[in-house]
Amino acid sequence: MGCVIDGRFTVEIQNGVSNGCGEVGLWNDGGGAIEDAVKVLLEGLGEDVNREGLRKTPLRVAKALHEGTRGYRQKVNDIVQGALFPEAGLDNRVGHAGGAGGLVIVRDLDLFSYCESCLLPFPVKCHVGYVPSGERVVGLSKLSRVADVFAKRLQEPQRLADEVCSALHQGIRPAGVAIILQCSHIHFPDIESVFLDSNYQGWVKILVSSGSGVFENKNADVWADFFGLLKFRGINMDKIHFRGSSDPCWCPSQSSLSAKVSSKIGPVNPVMVTAVASVIESLGENPLRKELIGTPTRFVKWLMNFQKSNFNIKLNGFLCDGIDSLNVNEDVNINKKITSELNIPFWSQCEHHLLPFHGVVHIGYLMSDGFNPILKSLLQSIVHFYGFKLQVQERLTRQIAETIAPLLGGDVIVVVEASHTCMISRGIEKFGSSTATIGVLGHFSTDPTARASFLKSIPYPTSSGEQ
Ligand SMILES: Nc1nc2c(ncn2[C@@H]2O[C@H](COP(=O)(O)OP(=O)(O)OP(=O)(O)O)[C@@H](O)[C@H]2O)c(=O)[nH]1
Ligand SMILES: [Zn+2]
């Protein structure tokens, strides 16, 4: 099982970093071109690029993509060469340890990469193992730094594992290197698929591996040692893709459901597709690289989920036969109890970075005895109407509360819990962080006991998109 890359890699080790087709790629100040392209995309979504919240978005997106693909501009050699330390080993007739033969593993390295098929960031939990040789060990942090060089590019999991494996093998010259990556890709939702597959999970997960030297053979004993030290990390060895096994269709944007549903979106705006191709080029990648050919179209299809749309048109399936004729009891004296709809999944797109934030919405309202709860699918439709927009979480929470309040007698509480890709994959890079916002109207705004009672009913841990 090899992980040698077709020579392309040698160029990266010695002379800088190839930009996917062999030459050294440098950031050619593509920031301005990316800002222009983002303005085209925002206009294609029907947005006003000068409105509050969007004015700096082109610059923020250019910065985020520049940060997110810094790997093209980094040299692996510089990282490893300065951190190889002499370390006595054992005579290998006696045993293995130290700088000769004792397995070394660094586990649970949280990285973020960009999916080359759809340009969405995806989280990677990386586990690196190597067997030292030549009585030399590498600085532990460099294993993560090298992995990050290849993660901070347009990637797909198996190639990422192979490139990290190959770079470490060439840099450290050990007896062998092993890489395990646990990757999660946001589900490629759209308003149809949210209903098509009501119990789908928010994440598409994949486990990939790569090995060199003594790890070349996936049945080698040393893999068993490696897995023996990885237990309890949720790694099901039977599900690991070894290089050469069937390359899974990793990105949901390439799945059949997405193709079926996106055919309903109709043809994508060619000007927006050209703009995304120019972004890829500005990042130093080759838009004609075969894995990137369809990427601009797939990214635009994702973005079109968040175009400005008309409330009535989007909800007309509900407006005509229900929304205004709900039995809402005006009589405030009848005994009311808190009714909840919890864990309604939603996806949205942060308007500051054009990056997804997603999670769950919990809705509570007071309902009189004898009345039926509102249709969950109506609440779901209202949540998705406001979710599938360029948003900020506070506004989303307010809009949902304001829309459902008149339907439910005015006493509502809305809680939104979400993971913000822009806070996890870039900038502060706070893996595992999540944001909760609350909107209250009517009785819930004056009665802390009612609020506490509803908040207590929210299950924990909430499925706020955590992996
Ligand atoms: N209040 C709020 N802020 C958000 C939301 N989504 C993203 N943001 C924030 O938008 C802000 C944009 O700040 P800027 O300083 O203009 O952009 P930036 O340099 O990318 O900021 P950093 O993320 O801190 O690197 C950041 O602090 C984001 O965390 C949201 O839903 N609500
Ligand atoms: Zn993807």
Side-chain angles (χ1 to χ4, degrees), residues 56 60 63 350 352-353 357 391-394 420 422-423 426-428:
K56 276 179 57 188
R60 284 190 284 252
K63 257 176 57 183
C350 147
H352 297 140
H353 296 100
F357 67 96
Q391 275 285 13
V392 290
Q393 187 169 329
E394 295 89 336
H420 283 249
C422 72
M423 288 170 59
R426 55 154 296 286
I428 56 170

Side-chain angles (χ1 to χ4, degrees), residues 18-85:
S18 89
N19 60 357
C21 43
E23 299 89 39
V24 172
L26 296 174
W27 176 259
N28 51 8
D29 189 26
I34 295 181
E35 290 182 62
D36 295 342
V38 172
K39 285 176 190 154
V40 168
L41 297 176
L42 291 172
E43 283 156 359
L45 295 176
E47 286 285 358
D48 167 11
V49 293
N50 296 310
R51 81 165 167 80
E52 189 48 51
L54 291 185
R55 256 197 301 276
K56 276 179 57 188
T57 296
L59 172 65
R60 284 190 284 252
V61 172
K63 257 176 57 183
L65 284 172
H66 187 208
E67 262 178 61
T69 56
R70 61 175 178 256
Y72 290 123
R73 302 181 299 281
Q74 288 174 318
K75 290 186 192 169
V76 171
N77 243 1
D78 296 351
I79 294 172
V80 174
Q81 289 323 316
L84 287 170
F85 303 104

Side-chain angles (χ1 to χ4, degrees), residues 237-250:
M237 288 169 4
D238 303 334
K239 290 198 173 164
I240 290 181
H241 290 279
F242 282 89
R243 179 155 178 73
S245 61
S246 61
D247 281 330
C249 170
W250 150 251

Side-chain angles (χ1 to χ4, degrees), residues 88 101 128 161 177 206 237 242 257 303 321 354 369 391 414 459:
V128 183
V177 175
I206 190 170
M237 288 169 4
F242 282 89
L257 172 64
L303 267 190
D321 63 3
L354 286 194
D369 288 345
Q391 275 285 13
V414 175

